Amino acid sequence: MAGFTVGVTAARRADELGALLQRRGAAVLHAPALRIVPLADDSELLAATKDLIDQAPDVVVATTAIGFRGWVEAAEGWGLGEPLLDRLRHVELLARGPKVKGAIRAAGLTEEWSPSSESMAEVLDRLLEEGVDGRRIAVQLHGEPLPGFVESLRAAGGEVVGVPVYRWMPPEDLAPLDRLLDAAVSRGLDAITFTSAPAAVSLLNRAEERGLLPELLAALHHDVLPACVGPVTALPLQAHGIDTVQPERFRLGPLVQLLCQELPNRARSLPIAGHRVEIRGHAVLVDGDLKPVPPAGMSLLRALSRRPGWVVARSELLRALPGAGRDEHAVETAMARLRTALGAPKLIQTVVKRGYRLALDPAADAKYADV
């Protein structure tokens, strides 16, 4: 993924995801879109814990490892650790995925079942097939509403007790998130990764606060690839009509592998002046050789590549330059630096008194004439 820039919105495991991307050559822009606020002193969690100890549930659904561990640790802090664990030993304990299974077993408990898909939809299907009418079901919430999950259980006659272990909140320092948002809107990113639905919501909300939501949605529609770790994570984006890509296995490794496939396939490849030129996010491959290009140069190259072989006026190229003002000399300066970075000056031709064009090979002229 050399030459591509990927935004990472994760709060947890961001270092791991960033390292996986960098190992494959990508540049990473990390901006946690949220922070996790534990509720160890929260009255809601204490009340829910006491309620479940006093009146045993039939089923407990554990949704996240960090949330389950936090619940047990908070109960221990209140002196309720053993009573809670004793209750959980005698209920039908369902784990959403392998990480939660690990947390359950670390607490000395054993889950009864866990879906292979790690999907709450599969957990819901199992509960509804078993029948929930008259049954008491405790659901460890993971910082966000579970769309349709609780409502479906209640509609089927179940009594649902929510266990709010932690909440997602906006980051205390919004500057990194704003930088990521600006980079997405200016097409300085090739992809943004999302590992939780609240992170997607947080980015969309921040864009709306800054008046940039239409620009962000346009970027995600056409130029910046939104990659989600799973279907639940993708829901807030899909609600805005944004199509996302997701790996078959909802893990960081498969998410990175998916980007390794998708991003090179999306890169523009053109035959120019006897060379094969592939335009990536912050660099260009010239005959397979990676050429880092300054941001201003990439803006010019993208503008030229939208109509390969056609003359693009200096005035239009000036508008493509970030913060260039009105002086067309800025285009000439950026163009000189671009040609130097590419190492093949003849890739871009100057058309006197008109502008610049990519020197598209003659055989390709017909193919790109109407682009």
Side-chain angles (χ1 to χ4, degrees):
M1 286 199 288
F4 293 114
T5 303
V6 180
V8 172
T9 61
R12 291 189 294 119
R13 302 184 69 194
D15 290 344
E16 180 183 350
L17 178 54
L20 288 171
L21 290 164
Q22 288 170 338
R23 201 173 300 151
R24 288 159 177 80
V28 173
L29 180 60
H30 177 222
L34 44 82
R35 58 192 166 101
I36 298 169
V37 181
L39 302 184
D41 299 322
D42 192 272
S43 58
E44 291 179 55
L45 179 57
L46 176 58
T49 302
K50 287 181 174 179
D51 181 38
L52 293 173
I53 291 171
D54 293 340
Q55 187 179 352
D58 299 292
V59 182
V60 173
V61 180
T63 59
T64 64
I66 187 175
F68 189 82
R69 285 195 300 267
W71 184 17
V72 173
E73 288 168 5
E76 289 172 349
W78 297 320
L80 299 174
E82 273 308 314
L84 175 62
L85 291 174
D86 188 58
R87 273 293 183 220
L88 296 178
R89 287 187 188 99
H90 299 92
V91 303
E92 181 182 346
L93 187 53
L94 307 182
R96 183 178 65 92
K99 293 180 197 169
V100 197
K101 284 165 62 174
I104 288 171
R105 293 179 185 183
L109 304 170
T110 304
E111 78 289 345
E112 184 160 324
W113 176 82
S114 180
S116 58
S117 67
E118 302 177 46
S119 166
M120 289 299 287
E122 194 172 341
V123 176
L124 178 61
D125 289 343
R126 177 186 170 94
L127 287 171
L128 294 178
E129 286 172 11
E130 287 180 350
V132 297
D133 191 18
R135 302 181 80 196
R136 197 161 199 250
I137 304 162
V139 181
Q140 174 237 312
L141 305 176
H142 51 92
E144 60 181 302
L146 297 170
F149 187 87
V150 172
E151 293 84 349
S152 297
L153 293 176
R154 286 178 175 153
E159 178 192 352
V160 181
V161 180
V163 182
V165 181
Y166 57 85
R167 291 195 178 102
W168 301 112
M169 299 288 288
E172 289 181 316
D173 181 7
L174 287 168
L177 189 60
D178 284 343
R179 284 195 291 271
L180 183 141
L181 181 56
D182 290 340
V185 168
S186 66
R187 276 56 170 184
L189 296 178
D190 299 287
I192 304 179
T193 60
F194 298 95
T195 56
S196 72
V201 170
S202 180
L203 181 65
L204 293 168
N205 287 346
R206 183 58 181 164
E208 189 166 22
E209 288 170 8
R210 294 184 57 200
L212 292 175
L213 185 57
E215 289 91 336
L216 176 63
L217 295 178
L220 294 174
H221 267 300
H222 301 294
D223 302 299
V224 181
L225 178 67
C228 298
V229 77
V232 174
T233 299
L235 288 174
L237 296 164
Q238 290 173 349
H240 285 273
I242 300 296
D243 292 327
T244 66
V245 295
Q246 305 158 27
E248 291 184 7
R249 293 179 62 246
F250 310 144
R251 288 279 191 282
L252 296 187
L255 178 63
V256 172
Q257 290 169 6
L258 180 63
L259 286 172
C260 288
Q261 297 167 4
E262 291 284 338
L263 289 180
N265 288 339
R266 289 163 59 94
R268 193 79 187 271
S269 183
L270 296 168
I272 304 173
H275 300 276
R276 173 56 60 174
V277 177
E278 183 178 306
I279 302 169
R280 296 190 168 190
H282 64 266
V284 178
L285 283 179
V286 180
D287 297 328
D289 188 15
L290 189 70
K291 306 285 187 179
V293 174
M298 289 304 304
S299 296
L300 293 181
L301 195 53
R302 288 193 195 98
L304 293 169
S305 69
R306 290 190 191 104
R307 288 178 290 167
W310 289 49
V311 177
V312 181
R314 283 183 175 82
S315 58
E316 185 175 339
L317 291 172
L318 182 63
R319 289 194 296 272
L321 282 178
R326 299 180 180 179
D327 186 0
E328 289 188 3
H329 180 66
V331 174
E332 296 173 13
T333 302
M335 188 63 71
R337 291 173 179 165
L338 171 59
R339 283 170 163 156
T340 300
L342 293 175
K346 293 183 180 179
L347 294 177
I348 303 171
Q349 294 177 337
T350 301
V351 181
V352 179
K353 296 184 179 180
R354 293 182 60 198
Y356 300 89
R357 66 184 288 271
L358 292 180
L360 200 66
D361 287 345
D365 281 342
K367 177 179 178 182
Y368 293 103
D370 298 322
V371 173

